[in-house]
Amino acid sequence: MSTEHPSGGHAPGGHGDRTPAADGNPGRGGAGSAASGGGLPGHGLRVVDLGTGMAAALVSTLLADAGAVVHRVAPPGDEVFDEVYPAHRGWRSVTVPADPAELDALLAQADVCLVGGEDHPAVTPRHDAADLADRYPRLVVAHLTGYAAGHALGAPAVDLLVQARTGMVAEHFSDRPLYFAVPFPTYGQAMLAALGVWAALLERAGSGRGQVVGASLQQGAALFMMPFWMRAERPDAEFGKVTPKDVKHLIFQCADGGHVQFVMGVPSAVAKLYRILGIDVPVDPADRGIPRVGASPDTYFGDRPLIAAHVAKLDRAGILAAAEAEGLPAAPVLDLGEFLDDEQLAANGLLVDRGGTTGPGNVIGSLGSAPAPAETDGPVATGPTGGGPPLAGVTVLDFGSYVAGPFASRLLADLGASVLKVESLGGDPNRGLQRHFLAAHVGKRAVAVDVKAPEGAEVLRRLLARADVVMHNLRPKAAERMGVSPEAVRAVRPDAVTLQAFAFGPTGPRADAPGFDMVIQALLGLERRAGGPDGPPLWIRTPYLDYVSGTLGAVAVLMALHGRRTAGRAGDMWVSLLNAGMFLLSDLLREADGTLRGAPPLDGALQGVHPGERLYRAVDGWIAIAARTEEAALAVWRVMLPGEPPLPRAAWDGAVAARFDEACAGRTAADLLAALAEAGVWAEECRTDGLAELERVERAGPDGAERDPAVARLLADRADDRYGRLTGCLGPLISFSRTETPADGLPGSPGYGAHTRQVLAELGYTGAEAEELLRTGVVR
């Protein structure tokens, strides 16, 4: 599957009355960041951080980068995470250390409190979220856990173990698990927690009441696995168009040893590629290189053996120059850290000082904000006053296509917003990739309009007049032509919040370049990281940068809506695939001498980053082990190599891992797990089907008892016109203690133009007028 992202383009023109972007507090981004001082969406917010581990630190960083003051009361033993993550001190540098004796006073004044987080045997248990919410009724409490309510009670909240238990490790290869070098559950949890916090803050602005927001590592994993963790009652051929396991993307080694990444899907892509490489084979000139369902792993994206043989004869620079001349997207596959000096990162304000080292900075951008008039021509949504979903009453117009843009509005729909997908008469190209389309569009309505026609422009004007949020992932010039640039939107609806999703960013040397998920993966070294330092680059089959960009976009919208409600200013926000990729490198830092630290390399087998946190193969399956202390490491040694003198954990290397591999190969998974549990070691069986594991828990309670309704939050059914009942990770991925979005009766994805007549009636068109617009092809 070639997951395209159509964004790119130059910076928009003037924005009228705007708060200029600037570099504000320490650790904050520059030109690409939200405006500093009072213009920051989080200015004036007070946060108390009681959480532990990576996800909690990332949530603190996201809030601090938005302008919040974060007071840090570290739980006893928390310093151990400085050893686990070299970037931990940098993340925590954006917080203000506080004395535990001041905790009650801090909480009495706070808006947000972070509790829970990553488990480590050296860290003392944390505070109770529900108790804090009861004691401080206006407080929004973000509760970070390993699993959603009712799942895996007592199981450790460790990324690797969650990858194993959820079946995520089985989602790339068919015959073996993969340790995902980027800890996707952790990053997903951090983004979901930030999303929930801002939604609860927006709701509190209307109701005056706080609540508990829940986000788990399990839900963080589901954020990336939605297209794979779903099934349909009436599947068809289009539903089957999902990248199968074992497939390799179009990554090839050149004559000079470097690797290159090609992207298909553009007009005449195959002919262009063959001309670049000098392949003299007849091809259909219209062939865009669309993936071939049912083809072998070596031919799914194209004839890899044929292409590889020709790439191997040419140097990378020549190939890239020819690809640019032909208009075929291609990129060098760079090593981790090699892109850090690229001027585009500086243009986006993405590299900042974090505790004396350089690391990724603010990943959510703002082009400024404008005064939000108290009254407008259209209805003003103020959010719920308590009891309903957090975004009840908020209207969103989504002009995006593919995944990165539309996924943001899908998450807003999960929070109760009314989302309308506005398509051109040609339709969203991603409708041909139904599972990704479903993941990005469930819960929306849809209309199709020719906005170039005068009558279509009037339909657009009426739509904009009712919108609280307008978003797209179009290039700026295309947005201007369509009439959905921030300036055009503001001319109709002065208090609307806007979101633009770019490939690289609104300014900078790469701003005009088209963007694709795999291109950014290649440039940032993410494909190198996934394949390990000794193996070939590896493309992960889920378009994860699209999902990260979409989630960050949803966070950006909520930040801007909160700013509109509390400060009377409507923001023009932006995100990009490049920013999303840098967010996934938050654990990478660069010392003053240029040395890179963090982002630990995978071993050659792609089973882990240390023998103490690794996947091991048993006779009948695989297990995951997380021995995070010296005591746990000693216990593992005694299980694996009884009677042999143990080495300290710090001395464990590839040879130790090989010895453990040998020991596990002669034992069953159940035997190993029982022995490790008796020794007090955290371990999990590697499940092979994530959706089946969820259904096992969701569909029936323990011992035949009625299931806990709270457990039904992660797995949801949706009634879809095309596919009947959809089942999978299709429900809201965040829990709220007071303003929960119902998990039952959720709609599926909208058909092309499925709600056009209904929406036209809402806009004031008579039945006859609507029929005339349909007859003349202005709408469909």
Side-chain angles (χ1 to χ4, degrees):
M1 178 190 63
S2 177
T3 307
E4 297 185 42
H5 187 295
S7 298
H10 61 76
H15 285 263
D17 182 6
R18 292 289 189 273
T19 303
D23 192 2
N25 297 330
R28 194 143 297 126
S33 65
S36 66
L40 281 166
H43 179 72
L45 289 177
R46 298 185 179 185
V47 179
V48 176
D49 183 358
L50 307 174
T52 60
M54 181 174 173
L58 292 178
V59 178
S60 279
T61 301
L62 288 169
L63 292 171
D65 283 344
V69 176
V70 183
H71 295 275
R72 171 72 175 156
V73 181
D78 181 70
E79 62 277 2
V80 72
F81 287 108
D82 290 344
E83 302 173 14
V84 178
Y85 305 109
H88 190 255
R89 285 192 180 92
W91 299 330
R92 294 304 188 188
S93 69
V94 303
T95 66
V96 180
D99 190 325
E102 304 172 351
L103 181 57
D104 286 340
L106 289 172
L107 289 171
Q109 299 296 320
D111 300 287
V112 178
C113 179
L114 306 179
V115 299
E118 187 174 345
D119 281 330
H120 194 288
V123 182
T124 302
R126 283 72 56 126
H127 299 263
D128 181 83
D131 177 66
L132 290 173
D134 288 341
R135 288 164 53 196
Y136 305 98
R138 284 184 52 82
L139 189 64
V140 172
V141 183
H143 188 201
L144 307 182
T145 61
Y147 298 86
H151 291 252
L153 299 178
V158 177
D159 193 285
L160 169 61
L161 300 181
V162 173
Q163 287 189 38
R165 189 182 187 98
T166 61
M168 186 178 191
V169 292
E171 289 297 343
H172 192 76
F173 297 121
S174 60
D175 61 347
R176 51 154 300 179
L178 171 69
Y179 180 107
F180 287 92
V182 172
F184 291 117
T186 294
Y187 281 109
Q189 178 185 39
M191 292 187 294
L192 290 173
L195 187 69
V197 163
W198 282 106
L201 287 171
L202 179 62
E203 191 278 337
R204 191 189 70 166
S207 69
R209 300 169 62 192
Q211 59 182 311
V212 177
V213 176
S216 69
L217 290 170
Q218 180 189 39
Q219 290 162 310
L223 181 73
F224 296 96
M225 292 293 110
M226 285 185 188
F228 309 111
W229 291 355
M230 71 168 71
R231 66 169 54 97
E233 182 182 12
R234 298 192 302 267
D236 57 16
E238 294 292 330
F239 191 80
K241 287 184 180 179
V242 61
T243 306
K245 298 177 183 180
D246 304 317
V247 168
K248 297 178 181 179
H249 213 279
L250 300 180
I251 304 172
F252 304 97
Q253 187 169 23
C254 306
D256 53 5
H259 285 78
V260 64
Q261 163 83 72
F262 296 112
V263 181
M264 309 302 274
V266 300
S268 303
V270 175
K272 290 177 179 179
L273 177 60
Y274 283 21
R275 281 198 299 270
I276 291 166
L277 301 178
I279 301 176
D280 187 15
V281 175
V283 297
D284 180 353
D287 191 345
R288 300 169 65 99
I290 301 302
R292 297 162 175 81
V293 176
S296 70
D298 259 353
T299 59
Y300 183 79
F301 285 111
D303 191 338
R304 281 183 49 83
L306 175 65
I307 298 169
H310 285 76
V311 172
K313 302 174 185 177
L314 303 171
D315 287 345
R316 185 167 69 182
I319 291 174
L320 292 173
E324 183 177 7
E326 285 280 0
L328 182 74
V333 180
L334 301 181
D335 290 334
L336 199 62
E338 195 174 349
F339 194 75
L340 292 184
D341 292 318
D342 192 273
E343 293 179 6
Q344 189 63 47
L345 296 187
N348 290 12
L350 280 172
L351 287 182
V352 298
D353 179 81
R354 299 281 199 201
T357 59
T358 300
N362 187 15
V363 294
I364 295 176
S366 171
L367 295 173
S369 62
E375 295 184 6
T376 65
D377 293 337
V380 179
T382 58
T385 57
L391 295 192
V394 173
T395 299
V396 178
L397 293 182
D398 180 5
F399 293 87
S401 57
Y402 295 100
V403 177
F407 190 63
S409 64
R410 174 261 156 93
L411 293 175
L412 299 178
D414 284 348
L415 296 172
S418 174
V419 179
L420 182 65
K421 177 177 177 60
V422 185
E423 294 178 78
S424 68
L425 298 188
D428 186 338
N430 218 39
R431 284 187 178 274
L433 298 170
Q434 274 295 308
R435 289 210 218 177
H436 289 284
F437 184 85
L438 291 166
H441 290 93
V442 290
K444 305 179 186 180
R445 298 190 298 166
V447 299
V449 185
D450 178 7
V451 299
K452 297 177 183 178
E455 299 88 346
E458 172 60 19
V459 174
L460 174 62
R461 189 198 67 78
R462 296 192 194 188
L463 288 171
L464 293 176
R466 302 167 61 88
D468 298 293
V469 179
V470 179
M471 56 202 305
H472 63 77
N473 56 341
L474 301 163
R475 297 192 191 186
K477 285 190 179 295
E480 291 171 9
R481 289 194 299 268
M482 285 183 60
V484 294
S485 66
E487 296 84 0
V489 170
R490 194 101 40 222
V492 179
R493 180 66 187 251
D495 71 337
V497 164
T498 68
L499 173 71
Q500 299 176 84
F502 299 104
F504 289 96
T507 62
R510 296 178 183 267
D512 287 327
F516 299 83
D517 178 285
M518 60 285 292
V519 164
I520 307 297
Q521 286 190 42
L523 290 174
L524 290 181
L526 289 163
E527 291 179 339
R528 276 290 188 189
R529 184 177 182 181
D534 302 322
L538 181 65
W539 171 81
I540 303 299
R541 70 181 184 127
T542 181
Y544 58 81
L545 293 185
D546 285 338
Y547 290 113
V548 173
S549 182
T551 309
L552 292 175
V555 174
V557 167
L558 291 177
M559 289 166 54
L561 286 172
H562 184 264
R564 183 180 77 164
R565 180 64 189 270
T566 59
R569 298 190 68 85
D572 293 323
M573 312 300 288
W574 67 270
V575 291
S576 73
L577 289 175
L578 181 62
N579 287 29
M582 288 298 292
F583 180 66
L584 295 182
L585 291 177
S586 292
D587 54 347
L588 181 70
L589 55 84
R590 184 166 62 182
E591 304 283 5
D593 63 0
T595 303
L596 295 175
R597 299 180 61 211
L602 281 174
D603 60 23
L606 307 185
Q607 292 174 210
V609 296
H610 183 276
E613 293 205 23
R614 190 173 183 270
L615 305 172
Y616 290 96
R617 185 171 194 165
V619 171
D620 55 350
W622 291 75
I623 65 169
I625 294 176
R628 314 200 83 181
T629 64
E630 197 65 40
E631 181 182 9
L634 177 60
V636 170
W637 189 282
R638 288 172 176 165
V639 171
M640 299 292 188
L641 305 174
E644 292 194 22
L647 293 175
R649 189 180 188 279
W652 288 9
D653 56 12
V656 170
R659 294 289 312 281
F660 288 177
D661 280 333
E662 184 180 357
C664 290
R667 303 173 68 172
T668 66
D671 176 43
L672 284 166
L673 291 171
L676 291 166
E678 186 176 356
V681 178
W682 292 345
E684 287 284 359
E685 174 190 359
C686 291
R687 270 69 168 184
T688 59
D689 187 329
L691 181 56
E693 169 62 15
L694 292 176
E695 289 187 318
R696 184 185 67 79
V697 178
E698 298 275 2
R699 296 303 183 193
D703 300 323
E706 185 175 350
R707 64 174 176 166
D708 183 345
V711 181
R713 299 298 306 169
L714 189 59
L715 193 70
D717 290 343
R718 287 181 180 265
D720 189 83
D721 291 342
R722 177 171 181 173
Y723 292 114
R725 190 182 75 177
L726 290 171
T727 298
C729 291
L730 297 167
L733 293 178
I734 314 166
S735 65
F736 296 87
S737 63
R738 189 173 52 77
T739 60
E740 196 75 275
T741 302
D744 298 324
L746 297 172
S749 66
Y752 174 69
H755 302 92
T756 296
R757 284 186 171 85
Q758 180 185 90
V759 170
L760 289 175
E762 294 170 1
L763 296 177
Y765 287 94
T766 66
E769 289 171 333
E771 290 304 320
E772 179 63 15
L773 290 173
L774 286 162
R775 186 191 68 80
T776 57
V778 174
V779 300
R780 289 183 184 171

